[in-house]
Amino acid sequence: MSMRFTAKARRGMVALTVAAGLAVAVAGCGGGGNDDKKPETSASASKADGSQPSAQEGQSEAPLAELKGQDGLLLQVTSAQRDSGGFVTVNGNLKNDGAQSVVIPSALRGDETEIVQHGTSLGGATLVDANGKKRYYVLRDTDGRPLTTTGLSTIQSGQTIPVFMQFPSPPPNTTEVTLQLPTFASASVKISG
């Protein structure tokens, strides 16, 4: 019975996270005047365009971490939030800094049979707690779908896509982990909450 409740709680939090992500994405699309101002303030600190800062209005403009991938792909981590439900949600932006469109590598989904059958996703991501000597894999729902952004296909030059990944939560005293994503360099990320 507790497994069923946990699965329902996870699905509820995923739905909440997706809804919040969509709301943030919609908010970031409007008001061209605001987007024009943001790059001016962040131009000296970062090469990022106005998309990332407007998507995370209450937070600093610099991402927590940047993971560089193949063909100009860049994952900018904007938050890593520990939730009371026992998991960590990592939010960010997948950006194509290259000069040409890029097909999202299928390797990002990892090679687990259960995840592979659900299409291209960020299901191959892991969090590594070096102090606790433990690796945390992306959570899955009861049908085996990864609790990450799915349906990724092609990203145009200069395009930014908001993404998320959910993991089991490391112990409360673990505040820094390493985010790993196939075909990308790994990076250290601080967990808040």
Side-chain angles (χ1 to χ4, degrees):
M1 191 144 136
S2 66
M3 291 288 286
R4 197 174 282 187
F5 174 76
T6 303
K8 286 183 180 181
R10 285 183 187 153
R11 276 183 279 184
M13 288 307 294
V14 168
L16 179 63
T17 302
V18 170
L22 289 174
V24 168
V26 169
C29 290
N34 290 340
D35 285 345
D36 292 340
K37 293 177 187 172
K38 299 237 182 201
E40 293 172 15
T41 59
S42 66
S44 62
S46 168
K47 192 173 142 182
D49 64 30
S51 322
Q52 189 271 336
S54 65
Q56 298 292 325
E57 288 179 1
Q59 300 184 6
S60 68
E61 294 183 11
L64 295 177
E66 289 188 343
L67 289 76
K68 292 185 180 191
Q70 307 173 4
D71 302 320
L73 289 179
L74 179 69
L75 175 62
Q76 297 173 319
V77 177
T78 56
S79 69
Q81 181 71 41
R82 188 185 315 267
D83 296 309
S84 61
F87 54 90
V88 170
T89 302
V90 176
N91 290 298
N93 295 304
L94 184 61
K95 183 176 181 180
N96 181 355
D97 266 349
Q100 298 182 0
S101 297
V102 175
V103 174
I104 302 295
S106 61
L108 294 182
R109 67 184 175 198
D111 59 3
E112 292 184 43
T113 306
E114 198 170 57
I115 290 178
V116 169
Q117 68 186 359
H118 295 290
T120 305
S121 69
L122 303 178
T126 58
L127 290 182
V128 177
D129 174 5
N131 292 334
K133 297 180 181 178
K134 197 161 185 182
R135 179 183 307 268
Y136 298 90
Y137 293 88
V138 168
L139 291 169
R140 295 176 217 149
D141 68 11
T142 55
D143 294 325
R145 286 186 295 267
L147 299 184
T148 71
T149 304
T150 59
L152 301 169
S153 60
T154 301
I155 184 168
Q156 305 301 318
S157 177
Q159 184 181 8
T160 300
I161 300 171
V163 295
F164 80 97
M165 298 158 270
Q166 288 189 323
F167 303 91
S169 182
N173 61 342
T174 300
T175 58
E176 193 164 333
V177 292
T178 300
L179 176 63
Q180 297 179 334
L181 186 63
T183 75
F184 281 74
S186 58
S188 181
V189 175
K190 288 193 182 277
I191 299 174
S192 60

